């Protein structure tokens, strides 16, 4: 089936000596995997390896097969030319972390999700255009839970002395998988972050690391397939 769709590049892995297997989140059909044969040898043509930088936003024409098989891209154009993501070291580290993170949580069988695609596109463009981005990945992971269906229930936030990571809600009694005290305070601060005031949220490197670890635990408890990104160490060093 021939499809014209917007697509966000999640990852690109070398296949053989000259090809790439590219994972994209498309606006039309969700996650799709593509085989780009010989692209590493091509200097001209409708496809270029530079188009498939992680989190690139593309307009593609593609041939989609049944789920579970590799698809083909016949033409690709950059929908949003990046201004800073290719050249800013911190942003590059965030991009590679989010690329690995999204590869773990977005699966082909989940299909289309317009809200998720719009969130990914808008967040990536925001990252490209703004300078104060040290807390961006925290806000991104929190907002992503809304799209995936397990955003924390804040109903009893004012009354809860604990937050249950497994149940995803505030509670008044101690139990397993709960956070409290300073961890809960930092978690609450993170939930209150807004994109337009990211630069006003003051986390030091230790606090940022605590919040990120809590969010990764939250994902681990809610997504069976989730793996902690290996690129986390690199991002942590860049943020020091």
């Amino acid at each position: 089936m021939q499809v014209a769709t917007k697509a966000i590049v999640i990852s690109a892995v070398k296949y053989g000596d000259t090809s790439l297997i590219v994972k994209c989140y498309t606006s039309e059909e969700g996650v799709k995997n593509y085989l780009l044969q010989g692209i590493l040898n091509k200097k001209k043509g409708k496809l270029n390896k530079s188009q498939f930088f992680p989190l690139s936003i593309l307009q593609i024409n593609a041939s989609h097969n049944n789920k579970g098989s590799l698809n083909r891209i016949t033409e690709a154009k950059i929908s949003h030319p990046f201004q800073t993501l290719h050249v800013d070291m911190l942003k590059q580290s965030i991009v590679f972390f989010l690329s690995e993170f999204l590869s773990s949580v977005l699966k082909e069988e989940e299909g289309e999700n317009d809200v998720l695609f719009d969130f990914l596109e808008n967040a990536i463009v925001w990252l490209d255009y703004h300078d104060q981005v040290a807390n961006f990945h925290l806000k991104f992971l929190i907002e992503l839970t809304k799209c995936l269906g397990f955003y924390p229930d804040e109903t009893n936030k004012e009354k809860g002395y604990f937050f249950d990571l497994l149940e995803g809600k505030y509670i008044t009694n101690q139990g397993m998988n709960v956070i409290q005290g300073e961890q809960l305070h930092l978690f609450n601060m993170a939930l209150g972050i807004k994109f337009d005031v990211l630069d006003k949220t003051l986390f030091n490197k230790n606090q940022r690391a605590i919040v990120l670890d809590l969010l990764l635990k939250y994902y681990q408890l809610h997504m069976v397939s989730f793996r902690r990104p290996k690129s986390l160490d690199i991002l942590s060093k860049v943020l020091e």
Side-chain angles (χ1 to χ4, degrees):
M1 178 177 65
Q2 293 298 315
V3 177
T5 180
K6 264 191 171 182
I8 295 169
V9 177
I10 303 303
S11 64
V13 178
K14 189 175 180 181
Y15 179 73
D17 293 329
T18 63
S19 303
L20 291 175
I21 293 178
V22 175
K23 182 176 185 177
C24 293
Y25 194 83
T26 70
S27 60
E28 295 294 322
E29 297 188 34
V31 174
K32 303 298 288 186
N33 292 295
Y34 300 95
L35 175 62
L36 308 183
Q37 287 186 311
I39 191 171
L40 299 181
N41 272 353
K42 293 179 180 178
K43 295 183 179 180
K44 294 182 179 181
K46 293 183 178 180
L47 301 180
N48 188 291
K49 62 183 179 182
S50 64
Q51 296 171 311
F52 298 94
F53 183 84
L55 303 193
S56 291
I57 304 169
L58 308 175
Q59 180 68 43
I60 65 172
N61 292 328
S63 176
H64 285 179
N65 305 312
N66 293 326
K67 289 183 179 179
S69 59
L70 292 172
N71 306 280
R72 307 277 178 169
I73 296 177
T74 56
E75 187 174 0
K77 296 180 180 179
I78 297 290
S79 178
H80 174 79
F82 288 147
Q83 306 299 310
T84 64
L85 294 196
H86 291 151
V87 296
D88 184 291
M89 183 178 295
L90 173 55
K91 290 185 181 183
Q92 283 186 355
S93 300
I94 293 173
V95 164
F96 286 120
F97 169 76
L98 294 180
S99 168
E100 187 180 359
F101 186 91
L102 291 170
S103 291
S104 177
V105 302
L106 300 182
K107 302 301 179 182
E108 188 168 8
E109 60 269 15
E110 292 169 3
E112 176 188 4
N113 183 331
D114 291 338
V115 173
L116 175 54
F117 185 89
D118 289 344
F119 163 68
L120 293 176
E121 182 178 26
N122 291 333
I124 293 165
V125 171
W126 191 99
L127 177 62
D128 187 37
Y129 283 152
H130 289 77
D131 296 325
Q132 302 300 321
V133 297
N135 295 319
F136 175 85
H137 58 302
L138 304 180
K139 178 61 175 174
F140 184 96
L141 298 193
I142 291 169
E143 290 299 306
L144 184 60
T145 64
K146 292 181 180 179
C147 304
L148 299 177
F150 54 93
Y151 182 78
D153 182 353
E154 300 184 75
T155 303
N156 295 314
K157 186 175 181 179
E158 300 302 321
K159 300 178 182 179
Y161 303 110
F162 310 95
F163 181 81
D164 189 316
L165 292 169
L166 180 59
E167 296 297 326
K169 63 182 180 181
Y170 290 85
I171 58 176
T172 56
N173 299 314
Q174 178 66 277
M176 295 181 63
N177 299 306
V178 302
I179 57 175
Q180 58 184 306
E182 179 64 12
Q183 285 190 337
L184 181 59
H185 172 68
L186 293 174
F187 186 78
N188 288 343
M189 282 182 62
L191 287 185
I193 295 175
K194 305 295 183 184
F195 271 119
D196 57 354
V197 290
L198 269 180
D199 59 329
K200 303 289 194 303
T201 305
L202 302 179
F203 286 127
N204 62 39
K205 66 178 182 180
N206 292 329
Q207 292 172 329
R208 191 179 294 114
I210 290 170
V211 173
L212 180 56
D213 187 61
L214 291 173
L215 290 173
L216 294 179
K217 287 179 180 177
Y218 191 58
Y219 273 86
Q220 285 177 318
L221 289 169
H222 288 265
M223 303 198 77
V224 176
S225 63
F226 179 73
R227 306 183 308 275
R228 290 178 71 92
K230 295 179 181 178
S231 55
L232 177 58
D233 291 340
I234 297 174
L235 178 59
S236 298
K237 288 179 181 178
V238 174
L239 284 169
E240 287 182 356

